[in-house]
Amino acid sequence: EDDDDDDAYIVSGPANVDARLIGRYRRTGEHLDRPMYKNGQGAIIYFDGHWKMNVKDDRLHWCFELKGEPSELPESGAWSAYRFYGKDKSASVQVAKAADVELLVVSGVEGPARAVNGRYMETGTHNDRPKYSNKKGATIFFDGYWKMNDRSDVLAWRFSVKGADGPQPPAGDWEAHWSYGKDQPPAQVAMRGGEGESH
């Protein structure tokens, strides 16, 4: 799947939120003269009087909503549970424009470690620095210097920038771990919205 859609949205929430609602929503058309979005599990974001979200492509019902002044596009922030959605469900989910939360882009890797390619968003901390993950589970983390792995394991790494100990991962070439041999080209890391942004 291509992640190059800056008008996408990312929905996140606590563990008790229906997992079908979580993830990346891509524009799939229109409903009532506003864009409509759908994620990989079939959940939708649509406008009908105000912005609504449902676990399936059913525009008569919804789980979460954002009331207020009608806007042309979905608004970032906490969306509230619809009052009839359920007592034991989460009170809110977080909606954000993908371009605002996907801060790093990795490209140029082929072969066994290609899962590191893609857009990364901050998913926690490790050793007092931000930790980033992409949708395939690859991780960028700090352990003495900045490292990147093709899975969520922080005990091993596939690419790194030795000596890089700043507060954020550096943009540019990240050298492959010696175990890959000399034929693996470096991973290309770019910061979104700043210098070296890739389009």
Side-chain angles (χ1 to χ4, degrees):
E1 283 178 35
D2 185 16
D3 281 345
D4 199 22
D5 50 354
D6 284 331
D7 64 344
Y9 286 84
I10 304 290
V11 173
S12 59
N16 66 339
V17 168
D18 188 321
R20 294 175 293 175
L21 293 167
I22 304 302
R24 182 185 197 88
Y25 286 72
R26 290 179 168 79
R27 188 171 177 162
T28 59
E30 291 194 352
H31 179 70
L32 300 179
D33 297 323
R34 299 269 197 324
M36 190 171 91
Y37 302 84
K38 186 181 281 190
N39 74 7
Q41 293 84 250
I44 61 170
I45 293 174
Y46 66 100
F47 185 88
D48 190 346
H50 58 277
W51 287 100
K52 301 174 181 180
M53 182 185 309
N54 198 7
V55 293
K56 59 186 177 182
D57 194 350
D58 167 4
R59 287 165 240 158
L60 297 177
H61 304 94
W62 62 97
C63 304
F64 290 91
E65 61 189 355
L66 183 67
K67 290 189 169 183
E69 288 296 313
S71 57
E72 289 300 311
L73 296 171
E75 304 247 342
S76 294
W79 288 31
S80 302
Y82 179 48
R83 64 184 174 165
F84 297 119
Y85 180 47
K87 291 180 289 197
D88 60 335
K89 305 291 185 194
S90 175
S92 69
V93 293
Q94 290 293 320
V95 176
K97 282 191 67 68
D100 293 340
V101 294
E102 294 174 327
L103 304 175
L104 303 167
V105 180
V106 176
S107 61
V109 177
E110 295 178 8
R114 68 183 173 277
V116 301
N117 292 325
R119 295 180 182 200
Y120 286 72
M121 53 194 282
E122 191 171 330
T123 55
T125 58
H126 184 74
N127 291 328
D128 298 321
R129 302 276 201 300
K131 183 171 90 169
Y132 300 89
S133 299
N134 72 11
K135 69 178 185 179
K136 299 170 202 138
T139 306
I140 294 175
F141 62 98
F142 183 84
D143 190 3
Y145 50 93
W146 285 99
K147 300 174 180 176
M148 179 188 321
N149 201 357
D150 58 356
R151 53 190 180 277
S152 62
D153 180 2
V154 294
L155 299 176
W157 67 95
R158 303 291 187 192
F159 299 89
S160 66
V161 182
K162 288 187 177 157
D165 60 1
Q168 294 289 330
D173 290 350
W174 288 43
E175 294 301 318
H177 190 271
W178 62 265
S179 64
Y180 271 118
K182 297 185 189 321
D183 293 338
Q184 174 66 52
Q188 306 286 315
V189 176
M191 306 300 279
R192 287 179 48 82
E195 210 172 309
E197 178 179 359
S198 63
H199 294 281

